[in-house]
């Protein structure tokens, strides 16, 4: 059903969005600390980190377009949901957010749920 | 509390942009023959898709200035997945099988548990 052959390089390409999503969120979080909602200034908002986050988003969207043509969502969803784990790790390690049992358990439930949502036998799209 | 409103705006605009993009790609497949058809389709939808993506990322970073990254990401991503599945069911007659239904419930449950 997919129009092109899947080569080994495509599997590596499928992993790139995970890295980009993690970077995008890291930059977005850092960038978000440079401005405040109350005294909002567009100059503070458009700092280098926010811009880097947008660059990562554009790159990620472009690669996802390629990947969606080659792979099924039953493959894409579980693979990209690895970013849940990475982003959580980043939030705990770099932003000192608390790692609670709720977050671990919640992540496991969400990941399982997303895997099940992606597992379609018949191709609706 | 406005930061939570921004988070919700981010999810809604992201989901709508994905659903619009689905519509665009479905119509592209149907119009495979005519080059003129494809060009006009890309113009019709892509403007709104880009606007919605911009709104989504701006709202997301605004929310991140006050909300923890772990929660914000889980919230936006889970709800985005859910809304896209539900949107596909409501607007594009895409079927939801039992596995997916269980998956939807697990995602909602997981998101609830996540906030503890």
């Amino acid at each position: 059903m997919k129009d092109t052959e899947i080569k080994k390089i495509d599997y590596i390409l499928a992993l790139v969005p995970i890295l980009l999503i993690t970077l995008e969120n890291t930059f977005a979080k850092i960038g978000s600390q440079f401005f405040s909602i109350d005294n909002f200034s567009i100059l503070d908002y458009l700092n280098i980190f926010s811009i880097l986050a947008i660059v990562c988003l554009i790159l990620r969207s472009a690669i996802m377009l390629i990947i969606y043509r080659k792979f099924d969502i039953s493959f894409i969803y579980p693979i990209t949901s690895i970013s849940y784990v990475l982003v959580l790790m980043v939030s705990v390690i770099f932003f000192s957010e608390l790692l609670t049992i709720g977050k671990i358990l919640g992540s496991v439930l969400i990941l399982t749920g997303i895997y099940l949502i992606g597992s379609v036998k018949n191709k609706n799209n | 509390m406005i930061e939570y409103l921004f988070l919700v705006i981010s999810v809604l605009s992201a989901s709508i942009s994905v659903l619009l993009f689905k519509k665009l790609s479905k119509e592209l497949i149907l119009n495979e023959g005519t080059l003129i058809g494809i060009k006009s389709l890309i113009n019709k939808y892509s403007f709104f898709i880009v606007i919605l993506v911009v709104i989504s990322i701006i709202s997301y970073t605004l929310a991140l200035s006050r909300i923890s990254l772990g929660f914000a990401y889980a919230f936006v991503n889970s709800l985005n997945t859910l809304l896209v599945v539900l949107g596909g069911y409501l607007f594009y007659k895409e079927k939801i099988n039992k596995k997916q239904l269980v998956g939807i419930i697990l995602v909602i449950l997981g998101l609830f548990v996540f906030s503890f």
Side-chain angles (χ1 to χ4, degrees), chain B residues 5-114:
Chain B
L5 178 64
F6 284 128
L7 214 55
V8 171
I9 291 173
S10 180
V11 180
L12 287 176
S13 41
S15 311
I16 296 172
S17 74
V18 172
L19 289 169
L20 271 181
F21 184 75
K22 268 198 179 186
K23 186 166 181 105
L24 167 61
S25 35
K26 279 182 204 282
E27 292 191 14
L28 268 178
I29 292 170
L30 292 172
N31 286 316
E32 202 78 56
T34 46
L35 192 64
I36 302 164
I38 291 172
K39 288 202 176 206
S40 67
L41 267 175
I42 291 176
N43 287 330
K44 182 163 78 171
Y45 290 120
S46 53
F47 176 70
F48 290 107
I49 293 174
V50 170
I51 296 271
L52 286 167
V53 170
V54 168
I55 292 176
S56 181
I57 185 110
I58 291 177
S59 314
Y60 185 63
T61 38
L62 283 171
L64 274 182
S65 68
R66 290 190 193 164
I67 303 178
S68 66
L69 175 62
F71 177 76
Y73 181 73
F75 183 87
V76 169
N77 219 315
S78 327
L79 279 184
N80 190 33
T81 311
L82 285 181
L83 288 176
V84 168
V85 175
L86 289 173
Y89 175 74
L90 288 172
F91 300 115
Y92 304 129
K93 300 186 172 62
E94 289 173 5
K95 301 199 174 100
I96 298 181
N97 61 42
K98 285 179 195 153
K99 262 194 192 176
Q100 290 178 305
L101 203 56
V102 174
I104 291 170
I105 294 170
L106 282 179
V107 169
I108 296 174
L109 194 64
L111 199 51
F112 176 70
V113 169
F114 194 94

Side-chain angles (χ1 to χ4, degrees), chain A residues 98-116:
Chain A
L98 211 58
L99 183 64
T100 65
I101 303 265
K103 284 189 182 167
I104 298 175
L105 190 59
S107 302
V108 171
L109 288 170
I110 290 172
L111 289 179
T112 315
I114 288 181
Y115 168 76
L116 287 173

